[in-house]
Amino acid sequence: MSTTTTVDRALRAALYDDTDATLDTGASLLAADPAADGELARRGQEFVAAAWRRGWQPADVVRLVRRELDEAHVRLVAQLILGEAGQRPGPTPRWAAQLKELGEPDGEPQRGPDRFSHATAVLELYRLLLRLPALEPLDEPRPSAAPRQPESRMLTRIRALLAKAEATGYPEEAEALSAKAQELMARHSIDEALLAARTHTGDVPGACRIGVDPPYETAKAVLLDAVAAANRCRAVWHDALGFSTVVGFEPDLEAVELLYTSLLVQATTAMTKAEAAQRKGGRRRTKTFRQSFLAAYAHRIGDRLRAAAEGAEGQVTGGEGELLPVLAARDVAVADRLEEMFPDTVTTRLRGVSDAAGWEQGSAAADRAQVTGRPRLP
C-alpha cells in the first residue's frame, strides 16, 4: 500500500466524522505506516494554506487551536505554519510579525509518547482546520520593493513607557507612565494623519484581529472597544472565535494593540490586589466580583481615553483648520470600511455585573491608570 493511500484512508476515516471510533481507525492506519509521515505533514500544510484562503492569519489559527485543543496541538500547527510559510511570497509586515512569534521551524516534528498518540493529535488538529469558517479578509499593505523603515523612535518610546507601567508596583508611577504613553499615541496619530493628507498618499483604513481570551471575555471585549473608539478605530467582537476585528488606519491600529495589551495587564494586576484586600477583610470574592471589576474598569477607562484624545487634538496649534476636516474624513472612511466588512452586527449585553464592590474597585483602578495629558514642566 502506498503512503498516499494510507493517508487518504486515514483522513477519510477520521476527518468527516466526529466520533472517537473513526479517529482511532485513522490513527491506527497512520501509526502502522511510518513512511506516511512526510505525506501527512504535506497534507497538513495544505490545510493551513486553505485557512489563509478563507481569510485566517497565523495568529488567528494558533489562538483557536490553543482555545479548542491542547499545547501539543499548538506545537503541531506552529510547525505546519512555519513549514508552509517557506513556500509563500514575502509576507505583509503584520503577517511576518506573527510568524516571528512562532519562532524558528524545527528540523523534526514534535511527537507524542508513541506513534498512535501522535497520529491522534495530528488528526484532531486536521479536523479543526478542516472546519474553519470563512472570515472577512483583512486589508493590509503589501511590502514594497524598498526596505521597510525601522520602527519610529516614538513607537519605541511608547512601548518602553507601557512596559514600565505594567512592571511597576506603584499606582502613581503607572498612572504617569500610561498618561505619557497615551499622549504620545494621540500625537503620533495626528502627525500621521496630517502627513498623509499633505502628501496625498491615498492612505486607506485597514484591519487587524486582536485576541479576546477567557475568562471574562465580554468585559475584555468592552475594554478593547473603548480603546479602539478612543483611537479613532472601530471593533467588532467574534465571541465564538475568541477575537475582535479592529478597523482603522495603521498608526491607530498599532496604538490600539499596544494600549489594550498594557491596560489588560494593569487591570488584571489591580484586580488581583483588590481581591487580596477583600479576602483580608473577611469577604470571599467570586466570579461576579471579577466580572464587575473588569466591566467598571473598561467603562471608566473609556471615558478617560476619550478625554485624553480630545485633549491631544486641542493641543495642536496652528493646524486646527486643517486637522478637523482630516480627522472627520478618516472617521467616515473607517465607518464605511466597517460597514463593508460587517454589514450585519448585533449588540451584546454585558451580563454578570452585579457586585457593587467589584464595580467600585474597578472604577478606582481605572482612575489610578488615568491617561489624561499633563502640562509640560517649565
Side-chain angles (χ1 to χ4, degrees), residues 138-221:
L138 302 182
D139 291 335
E140 189 178 348
R142 303 296 305 181
S144 63
R148 189 185 179 197
Q149 295 299 317
E151 184 174 90
S152 69
R153 292 178 59 189
M154 172 118 25
L155 282 178
T156 301
R157 188 179 178 193
I158 290 170
R159 291 183 190 277
L161 288 169
L162 292 176
K164 291 179 180 178
E166 296 163 22
T168 182
Y170 300 98
E172 293 80 6
E173 184 182 10
E175 172 190 337
L177 292 167
S178 297
K180 188 59 180 177
Q182 175 59 32
E183 178 187 341
L184 292 178
M185 285 178 182
R187 289 308 308 262
H188 178 62
S189 174
I190 291 170
D191 291 344
E192 290 288 334
L194 290 174
L195 178 62
R198 291 166 181 166
T199 57
H200 306 287
T201 58
D203 199 10
V204 296
C208 69
R209 299 188 185 108
I210 298 178
V212 181
D213 299 316
Y216 317 116
E217 301 97 315
T218 305
K220 292 176 182 177

Side-chain angles (χ1 to χ4, degrees), residues 79-165:
Q79 184 134 27
L80 289 177
I81 291 171
L82 291 170
E84 192 273 344
Q87 307 169 28
R88 305 181 80 253
T92 63
R94 186 169 277 109
W95 193 292
Q98 294 176 19
L99 294 177
K100 186 177 180 180
E101 286 289 322
L102 297 179
E104 297 294 331
D106 297 326
E108 292 294 331
Q110 297 283 341
R111 296 194 176 277
D114 54 73
R115 287 191 56 80
F116 180 81
S117 298
H118 173 72
T120 300
V122 170
L123 292 175
E124 288 171 336
L125 173 62
Y126 290 6
R127 272 184 177 180
L128 181 63
L129 295 178
L130 181 67
R131 291 165 171 77
L132 292 179
L135 299 178
E136 181 66 31
L138 302 182
D139 291 335
E140 189 178 348
R142 303 296 305 181
S144 63
R148 189 185 179 197
Q149 295 299 317
E151 184 174 90
S152 69
R153 292 178 59 189
M154 172 118 25
L155 282 178
T156 301
R157 188 179 178 193
I158 290 170
R159 291 183 190 277
L161 288 169
L162 292 176
K164 291 179 180 178

Side-chain angles (χ1 to χ4, degrees), residues 314-331:
Q315 292 174 10
V316 177
T317 58
E320 182 176 345
E322 179 186 14
L323 175 63
L324 295 182
V326 168
L327 295 183
R330 290 168 85 87
D331 288 343

